[in-house]
Amino acid sequence: MTGMTASATIASRVAALTERIHSAATAAGRVPSEVRVLLATKTQDTDGIAQAIDAARAHELSVLVGENRVQELVAKAGYFAGLRTDIHLIGPLQSNKVNAALAALAAATHAAGRACIQTVDSASLARRLASRCQGNAPLDVMIQVNTAMDEFKRGIEPALLPNLAEEIANHPTLRLVGLMTIGPRSRDRDVTTAAFESLRTLRESLIDRGHAHARELSMGMSGDLDLAIAAGATIVRPGTAVFGSRPTV
């Protein structure tokens, strides 16, 4: 596929994505601009990422970038720094990769934007991050919750959320900004909707407990973002809906 054809394809996909977001938000009685688009850039090259960001901005979408793998975040950090947007880690973070992840996020956002780790799922990881964070501002983090109670998915059980939120609140180098979940592997729209609505309810309970900054709901990917928006998502994480099928790696 030529660069021009690839660019046109990404542009057309972003246009279709914009329509989906607007339709889902309007149907839910929401303002479309309340929904930010996090481009899931796993395995994508910088040309494709640049095309996607340009197309998203042309459609006046509020766009973020998210990497699943620490090694890719490290490799692309220099490029990301020039994008002047927020960079999020949206994949699992092992404790032995915390230093590399924090250094890459700092490099990727040194010019503008904020860094965020969306996948904090244990007190031990929160403590490790807190002890290694440096800088004038706290690191934004989200708690990943397994609202689907799927044994094959990462994230804490909903019942454990209050304790982890309190753990994070005890560390001044961390700032809890919201919750993240991955939708269930189900074709039943009611099952998926229930998982997303559960995250919204959990977010509301955290705010009631005094976690005032915990307002983000990162949920919904290419196949289910419409349902996530209806349930209150503030960040959706499309990948294939923008970039097409991922290359085999």
Side-chain angles (χ1 to χ4, degrees):
M1 181 179 290
T2 66
M4 183 176 296
T5 303
S7 178
T9 301
I10 288 175
S12 64
R13 290 192 185 111
V14 171
L17 174 67
T18 303
E19 287 299 317
R20 285 179 66 189
I21 292 171
H22 279 245
S23 295
T26 301
R30 301 182 61 196
V31 178
S33 60
E34 293 176 352
V35 182
R36 294 192 290 168
V37 175
L38 183 150
L39 298 173
T41 55
K42 181 174 71 173
T43 75
Q44 302 302 325
D45 60 31
T46 55
D47 286 344
I49 295 169
Q51 292 163 17
I53 289 175
D54 288 345
R57 288 174 172 165
H59 285 281
E60 299 184 344
L61 295 175
S62 178
V63 62
L64 320 173
V65 170
E67 272 294 341
N68 288 73
R69 300 168 177 167
V70 172
Q71 58 266 39
E72 284 197 62
L73 176 62
V74 171
K76 297 174 185 174
Y79 170 75
F80 287 157
L83 297 180
R84 304 184 67 81
T85 191
D86 294 355
I87 309 295
H88 290 208
L89 181 66
I90 57 174
L93 178 58
Q94 298 173 347
S95 59
N96 63 349
K97 294 185 177 179
V98 163
N99 289 349
L102 290 176
L105 286 170
T109 57
H110 79 277
R114 293 185 66 89
C116 180
I117 295 176
Q118 292 198 9
T119 51
V120 177
D121 60 1
S122 70
S124 60
L125 177 57
R127 288 192 291 267
R128 192 169 183 88
L129 285 168
S131 68
R132 285 159 174 76
C133 284
Q134 298 179 353
N136 297 324
L139 173 70
D140 289 349
V141 298
M142 298 187 196
I143 296 174
Q144 182 173 356
V145 186
N146 188 351
T147 55
M149 298 298 287
D150 184 337
E151 62 179 318
F152 298 105
K153 293 188 184 299
R154 297 181 66 92
I156 66 165
E157 296 179 11
L160 302 178
L161 175 62
N163 288 342
L164 182 51
E166 289 302 319
E167 175 70 38
I168 292 171
N170 287 333
H171 298 289
T173 54
L174 302 179
R175 183 175 77 144
L176 179 61
V177 297
L179 304 178
M180 178 267 220
T181 196
I182 298 174
R185 294 182 296 179
S186 174
R187 295 185 179 182
D188 188 328
R189 291 171 62 87
D190 290 340
V191 170
T192 301
T193 293
F196 290 151
E197 289 182 344
S198 174
L199 196 73
R200 183 187 65 205
T201 300
L202 291 169
R203 188 272 310 270
E204 291 168 355
S205 71
L206 281 186
I207 293 173
D208 288 343
R209 288 172 177 266
H211 300 281
H213 294 294
R215 297 189 173 276
E216 299 286 3
L217 290 175
S218 175
M219 56 189 188
M221 297 187 287
S222 293
D224 56 17
L225 61 85
D226 313 79
L227 298 178
I229 291 169
T234 63
I235 297 174
V236 293
R237 309 187 303 272
T240 57
V242 172
F243 299 108
S245 299
R246 297 188 187 279
T248 302
V249 294

